[in-house]
Amino acid sequence: KPVTEILTKPHAITNQTNVQFLFASQAGTSFQCKLTVALYNPHNGQSTNHTIQDWTACYAGGKQYTSLLDGVYTFYVKSKNDVSGALEADPPFWNFEIDTKAPRVTVTQQPPTQTNAASLTFYFTSTEKGSTFECAFHKIGSADVYTSCKSPRSYLGSQEGLWEFQARATDKARN
């Protein structure tokens, strides 16, 4: 019986809407591909798989999908022996998520607008779990210099004047 191996695939979480798969099997085989997407139902809190493309012939070596929307997908590929007609019994698959939306940052707690405190602490969150943060704290009118940070973020000894705190987040898809 034929056995297919997926050689090239997108990252498990990606911000790319065009994805490509490369695969291989023994000589004398042809391929069939299938793509499904999990759709979330907010009314019952469950996800169900919907077929975007059912099992169809795909060219030896590769399959490309373009303009996919955000979602969780599963790609399947199976080979068929061209002589005996035997289909692969347990075809390989790859799960991947497309996420093109950048996370939003909310500052949840900050010092008063006017203060003479020696230490200033900012608390913030992201709309996406697992995000990493970069923060900038600078005098208004000077350049933004972002550095890696976590919430809460404290700053010591700021000089008199108008200062601005900014935080930005990057999610696992690099948005």
Side-chain angles (χ1 to χ4, degrees):
K1 291 196 175 209
V3 176
T4 305
E5 181 182 359
I6 299 174
L7 304 171
T8 303
K9 55 198 172 220
H11 292 287
I13 300 176
T14 182
N15 59 15
Q16 302 299 308
T17 60
N18 299 332
V19 297
Q20 182 172 4
F21 294 87
L22 299 177
F23 41 85
S25 187
Q26 294 87 349
T29 58
S30 55
F31 297 94
Q32 294 180 347
C33 298
K34 178 179 176 178
L35 184 66
T36 64
V37 63
L39 297 178
Y40 178 74
N41 183 337
H43 300 292
N44 64 16
Q46 297 180 353
S47 293
T48 54
N49 280 338
H50 292 272
T51 300
I52 293 176
Q53 177 198 9
D54 208 350
W55 291 109
T56 57
C58 49
Y59 293 104
K63 179 67 177 172
Q64 183 172 6
Y65 296 97
T66 59
S67 303
L68 295 175
L69 301 176
D70 283 17
V72 178
Y73 294 85
T74 304
F75 170 77
Y76 304 85
V77 60
K78 64 183 174 182
S79 52
K80 176 182 174 184
N81 184 297
D82 292 335
V83 175
S84 70
L87 282 172
E88 187 168 5
D90 191 19
F93 62 90
W94 179 250
N95 295 314
F96 63 101
E97 179 179 354
I98 295 177
D99 174 5
T100 60
K101 294 176 180 61
R104 291 188 316 273
V105 175
T106 302
V107 177
T108 57
Q109 187 178 343
Q110 61 189 6
T113 304
Q114 294 185 357
T115 184
N116 59 2
S119 175
L120 305 174
T121 302
F122 298 85
Y123 294 80
F124 46 92
T125 62
S126 169
T127 54
E128 293 189 38
K129 290 183 180 184
S131 293
T132 58
F133 295 95
E134 291 182 318
C135 297
F137 185 65
H138 56 89
K139 264 192 162 173
I140 291 180
S142 64
D144 299 344
V145 177
Y146 284 88
T147 59
S148 178
C149 63
K150 292 182 179 180
S151 181
R153 176 66 168 105
S154 296
Y155 297 92
L156 299 173
S158 59
Q159 301 170 352
E160 199 172 297
L162 296 175
W163 288 76
E164 179 178 41
F165 171 77
Q166 296 174 316
R168 62 187 180 195
T170 302
D171 63 16
K172 292 178 182 179
R174 298 181 200 104
N175 293 313

